[in-house]
Amino acid sequence: MKRLLLICLASLILGSGACLAGEDVLVIGHPALPKTDRVTVQRIYTGRAVSLGEQAVVPINLPPGNPVRDEFLFSYLGQKEEQYTGYWLVRRYVGKGTPPLELGGIDEVIKYVQSTPGALGYVPASRLPRGTNVIVGR
């Protein structure tokens, strides 16, 4: 609860207006992507899986400091921003890939995921457009 209050306070101070207050973060995918599980999402966002079924995946992140990204990292990967960034710094240095593409906001993530085969991203449940392919939810 304390962590959630800090996230809400930070989002208000930074002016993002996105206070999650217990709101679920859902993983969405291009309409052709199948449903999956949290372990597979974790493997995709850490570069240890590059496909879902027969489809190559394109994971999308929100920028660092975004409270939705913070909640996603904590809920799905069990990491804080510093851990995730450090993980990708080492992985890139040893030639094991590059971190997921970052887009500027939730609307950009939704548009990109809906129009790009293999794309997946995450959004707060309150911003989920009707008919969106939710591939993992809480």
Side-chain angles (χ1 to χ4, degrees):
M1 186 63 164
K2 186 187 226 181
R3 181 181 180 287
L4 208 46
L5 290 172
L6 289 173
I7 290 173
C8 288
L9 181 59
S11 70
L12 291 173
I13 291 169
L14 296 173
S16 71
C19 180
L20 294 177
E23 185 175 4
D24 289 342
V25 173
L26 307 173
V27 179
I28 61 172
H30 184 268
L33 283 180
K35 306 281 187 241
T36 191
D37 58 28
R38 294 166 95 60
V39 172
T40 302
V41 168
Q42 184 179 43
R43 292 178 51 77
I44 289 168
Y45 274 87
T46 55
R48 293 180 281 142
V50 295
S51 64
L52 194 53
E54 298 294 316
Q55 177 71 54
V57 292
V58 181
I60 304 300
N61 262 329
L62 288 166
N66 184 298
V68 178
R69 175 178 167 136
D70 292 342
E71 185 60 31
F72 170 78
L73 291 176
F74 182 76
S75 297
Y76 285 84
L77 277 60
Q79 296 181 345
K80 293 182 179 177
E81 181 64 44
E82 298 79 25
Q83 294 168 303
Y84 188 66
T85 303
Y87 171 84
W88 275 108
L89 183 68
V90 170
R91 198 155 166 90
R92 192 176 345 183
Y93 181 76
V94 297
K96 297 275 185 167
T98 58
L101 175 67
E102 291 177 6
L103 295 178
I106 294 167
D107 291 336
E108 289 178 62
V109 169
I110 292 167
K111 283 181 187 175
Y112 190 87
V113 166
Q114 290 176 336
S115 65
T116 306
L120 66 146
Y122 47 87
V123 298
S126 65
R127 297 285 303 274
L128 184 69
R130 175 176 261 150
T132 301
N133 181 19
V134 177
I135 61 172
V136 180
R138 284 190 174 180

